[in-house]
Each structure stands twice: as C-alpha cells, then as structure tokens.
C-alpha cells in the first residue's frame, strides 16, 4: 500500500508522480493521503466525496480517475465496487512478478524425468 504518513512520504510521492499532469498528481496524492482499508488498500470513499474534499468538480474527478486507472496508477477494488486503490506503481514498485530460475529446482526436474 502506498500511504502518505510523513513529509518524506509526500516528497517521495511527488517524485514518483512528476511525469503526471498536475490534476492527476493531485488525485494520486489524495488517494495516498486518505485512510486505506488495511486488508484491500482501498480508499473507502466515493469519487464524489473525494472530489468534494478538494473542491473539484465530480465529473472532472471521475475523468481523472479513469485516466489514472488506464495508465496503471489506480485500480478498482472489484468490478462491482465503487472503491479504488493505488497500484504498486504509485507505491514506488512495479507490476512485474519475480521470475523463477529457468529449469526449476531439483525436485521439479525429478518429477519431469
């Protein structure tokens, strides 16, 4: 989870979002600074409520959130949920899974033989 807890976290998030347009940066930082569900990482506030927190037009907020979802910064918690969470991209990580060594381990090779 990428949650802002300190001034250093704010600075790190500003660096990670440097290539985003200003309004998209605001939305990412808003999600990062909002309370997040411990289990899912979701911000349990609707887009309308979040938009109101920063005095942004809800339609504009929705368009920005869609753009951030398409570019991999945010994701919906589930298809039937109105809640979103930051992705690993926002947390400074990437979305790449670690690879196993080619050929596998000895146990795996023994099963193949």
């Amino acid at each position: 989870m990428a949650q802002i807890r300190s001034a250093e976290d704010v600075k790190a998030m500003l660096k990670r979002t440097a290539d985003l347009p200003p309004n998209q940066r605001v939305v990412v930082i808003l999600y990062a600074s909002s309370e997040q569900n411990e289990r899912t990482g979701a911000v349990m506030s609707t887009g309308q409520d979040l938009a109101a927190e920063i005095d942004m037009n809800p339609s504009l907020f929705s368009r920005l959130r869609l753009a951030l979802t398409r570019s991999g910064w945010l994701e919906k918690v589930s298809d039937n949920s109105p809640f979103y969470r930051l992705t690993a991209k926002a947390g400074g990580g990437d979305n790449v899974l670690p690879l196993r060594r080619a050929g596998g381990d000895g146990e795996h090779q023994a099963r193949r033989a």
Side-chain angles (χ1 to χ4, degrees):
M1 284 185 270
Q3 187 164 22
I4 292 176
R5 294 189 175 99
S6 68
E8 291 304 314
D9 291 345
V10 172
K11 291 174 188 175
M13 184 62 73
L14 287 170
K15 286 181 182 179
R16 280 194 295 275
T17 60
D19 292 336
L20 291 176
N23 280 341
Q24 288 185 15
R25 288 178 91 185
V26 168
V27 172
V28 169
I29 291 170
L30 176 63
Y31 271 90
S33 63
S34 296
E35 186 174 338
Q36 299 171 7
N37 179 289
E38 281 187 35
R39 189 175 57 80
T40 65
V43 173
M44 306 302 280
S45 297
T46 65
Q48 190 160 357
D49 290 339
L50 291 169
E53 280 187 42
I54 56 173
D55 293 328
M56 183 180 280
N57 178 294
S59 295
L60 173 59
F61 185 89
S62 181
R63 288 192 306 272
L64 293 167
R65 187 174 58 190
L66 178 61
L68 289 164
T69 302
R70 288 181 175 160
S71 63
W73 287 90
L74 290 172
E75 63 186 2
K76 260 190 137 174
V77 175
S78 67
D79 288 338
N80 58 354
S81 171
F83 305 120
Y84 288 77
R85 64 180 163 218
L86 294 165
T87 64
K89 186 175 191 174
D94 54 33
N95 294 319
V96 177
L97 297 174
L99 298 176
R100 291 187 306 176
R101 188 172 56 94
D105 56 18
E107 179 184 334
H108 179 70
Q109 288 178 352
R111 280 186 268 148
R112 288 190 346 198

